[in-house]
Amino acid sequence: SPLLQFAVPAFIVMSVFLALESMSNQNTTFQSWITKWLNRLYRPFLFWTSLYLCSRILKAIYITKQPIAFNWVSTYLGGSVTHHLWFVPFLLYSLVLLFPYFRVVLSSQKKIFFMLVSLILGGVIYCANILFENNIDLPVGIVKLSLKYLGYVFVSVGLWAGYKEEIFKFRGRTALLCLNLLLVVGAC
C-alpha cells in the first residue's frame, strides 16, 4: 500500500530537517553533533536490535530447535536482525557522510541556491532509481545506501534551505501538515 510506504520517507525527511535545524541554532562541532545523534538514533536502535535478536535466539532454541547464524557486526552496525530497522543505520550513516555538505549549506548566505541544488539532486537521484527499477543500492561496508532514500535526504536539505529563506511562508503545524501531504502524494 502506498500509504504504508510513506513512513520511512517521512521519518528520513523529518529527521534530516530537524538535524539541520538543530545545527543552525548552535555552532556545533562534528563530534558534539554526532554524539547527540548517536544518542537519539543509535541507542534506541541498539535496544530494539538486542530485543529482536534475543527473541530470534530464544525461538531458535525452544521452538524451531534450529541453529541460528548471524554476524554480530552487520547486526549491530547494519540493522540486519530484522527487515524493518534497516533505515536507522542508513539515516545515521547518511547524516555522517553528508555532514560537510550540511555545514556548507548552513554557512551559505544564499540558501536558495542550495535549495535548488538539493531539490534537483534529490529528484534526479529518485528518478534514476525509478528508471533502474528501484534496484540501485550502494554497498558501503555492511550497509546498503539506497539511492531512493538518499534522494529524500537531499530533498529534505532543499526543503530546509527553502524554509530558512522563507520561500515556504507557512510555519508550525501548517508546515508539518503540508510536508506530510507532499510525502503522501510522492509515495503514491
Side-chain angles (χ1 to χ4, degrees):
S1 163
L3 197 52
L4 294 176
Q5 295 174 0
F6 159 77
V8 172
F11 178 77
I12 290 171
V13 168
M14 286 186 240
S15 295
V16 172
F17 189 93
L18 293 172
L20 286 165
E21 190 62 20
S22 73
M23 284 176 69
S24 71
N25 292 333
Q26 53 197 354
N27 190 10
T28 38
T29 64
F30 177 74
Q31 183 178 359
S32 66
W33 186 74
I34 201 63
T35 302
K36 177 181 178 179
W37 282 95
L38 278 171
N39 284 329
R40 282 189 174 177
L41 288 175
Y42 208 65
R43 287 174 68 190
F45 170 77
L46 288 176
F47 170 79
W48 285 106
T49 297
S50 298
L51 189 68
Y52 281 113
L53 188 57
C54 286
S55 73
R56 288 180 84 187
I57 291 170
L58 291 173
K59 179 182 175 186
I61 292 171
Y62 295 110
I63 297 173
T64 63
K65 300 193 187 321
Q66 298 282 329
I68 184 169
F70 60 90
N71 181 332
W72 288 97
V73 175
S74 66
T75 297
Y76 281 100
L77 294 179
S80 66
V81 75
T82 184
H83 67 280
H84 67 278
L85 289 178
W86 67 268
F87 61 89
V88 176
F90 165 81
L91 180 61
L92 189 61
Y93 298 138
S94 298
L95 291 173
V96 169
L97 291 172
L98 292 173
F99 183 82
Y101 181 69
F102 296 161
R103 295 303 281 170
V104 169
V105 172
L106 285 165
S107 64
S108 173
Q109 296 299 318
K110 296 186 178 184
K111 289 185 179 45
I112 192 164
F113 171 76
F114 286 102
M115 180 196 80
L116 294 173
V117 167
S118 297
L119 289 173
I120 290 169
L121 188 57
V124 167
I125 290 171
Y126 187 79
C127 289
N129 193 54
I130 290 172
L131 185 66
F132 293 105
E133 299 175 4
N134 296 323
N135 292 325
I136 302 176
D137 290 330
L138 304 173
V140 179
I142 56 169
V143 175
K144 287 185 178 178
L145 291 179
S146 171
L147 284 187
K148 176 181 178 181
Y149 295 101
L150 198 57
Y152 287 123
V153 172
F154 282 101
V155 166
S156 183
V157 173
L159 291 172
W160 178 85
Y163 171 79
K164 283 300 180 184
E165 284 289 320
E166 296 188 356
I167 290 172
F168 309 121
K169 297 288 185 194
F170 42 81
R171 296 279 192 247
R173 290 184 182 178
T174 307
L176 191 58
L177 177 64
C178 290
L179 179 62
N180 285 329
L181 287 173
L182 177 68
L183 288 171
V184 168
V185 170
C188 295

